[in-house]
Amino acid sequence: MSNSENKNISYEQNNNKFNFRVAGIVIDKGRVLLHTTEQDDFWNLPGGRVELNETTEAAIVREMAEELGVHVEAQRLAFVSEDFFEYDGLKYHEVGFYYIITLPEAHKLYSEIEFKGLEDNGKLIFKWFYLDELEQMEVYPVFLKKELSNLLDAKGIRHFIQK
């Protein structure tokens, strides 16, 4: 276990896992940046685990630097989610903080349709999708399919519980 893994706010007991996650919402020209892995058949927002003694805002900036090699700016917290699901043989209880973030202006990633992330030898696959495509896709948490389209008009922080 690496030093970074020791600091992640994640706890596993029997078949259960608690995970404290942050995710970044990058929207550009009606598109949103999502990622998946080589073995998964669904998409979600890029992000990762919060570390001990780290704010969620600092965590999303750190995660994007690790995954994309780019310094992002966290604009505002948009969603807080309590998500309960099964994945890879475990029953997850995940608390997620979802931030609207921006890449540096005119960054090359805005023009790349699909690309590999830097972590885990490129096992993360990033891709831009138009917001109106999401309804027909496997995107998790499910509330994102609808809420990302309404995000720019939304006021305040929305809270979702998904079981």
Side-chain angles (χ1 to χ4, degrees), residues 3 8 20 22 28 38 47 60 73-74 77 81 106 112 127 141 147 163:
N3 195 25
N8 286 337
F20 186 19
V22 290
D28 177 61
E38 294 170 345
I60 193 57
E73 283 193 34
L77 180 62
S81 172
E112 293 188 31
K127 188 172 180 180
E147 296 301 323
K163 285 197 167 201

Side-chain angles (χ1 to χ4, degrees), residues 20-106:
F20 186 19
R21 183 174 193 269
V22 290
I25 305 165
V26 183
I27 295 181
D28 177 61
K29 299 177 183 157
R31 306 173 307 162
V32 63
L33 184 62
L34 300 178
H35 76 91
T36 190
T37 65
E38 294 170 345
Q39 74 268 11
D40 290 330
D41 61 354
F42 62 88
W43 294 85
N44 55 24
L45 291 167
R49 291 188 187 102
V50 179
E51 295 180 354
L52 287 171
N53 300 312
E54 180 180 49
T55 66
T56 55
E57 187 172 323
I60 193 57
V61 171
R62 175 186 52 76
E63 282 291 336
M64 293 300 92
E66 290 173 2
E67 292 181 7
L68 297 174
V70 63
H71 179 78
V72 301
E73 283 193 34
Q75 302 296 309
R76 72 174 177 89
L77 180 62
F79 310 124
V80 174
S81 172
E82 299 174 62
D83 204 7
F84 300 84
F85 59 93
E86 288 190 31
Y87 177 73
D88 209 18
L90 295 173
K91 293 180 181 176
Y92 274 75
H93 174 179
E94 184 171 271
V95 174
F97 280 56
Y98 294 78
Y99 282 89
I100 298 172
I101 60 173
T102 55
L103 304 174
E105 193 172 331

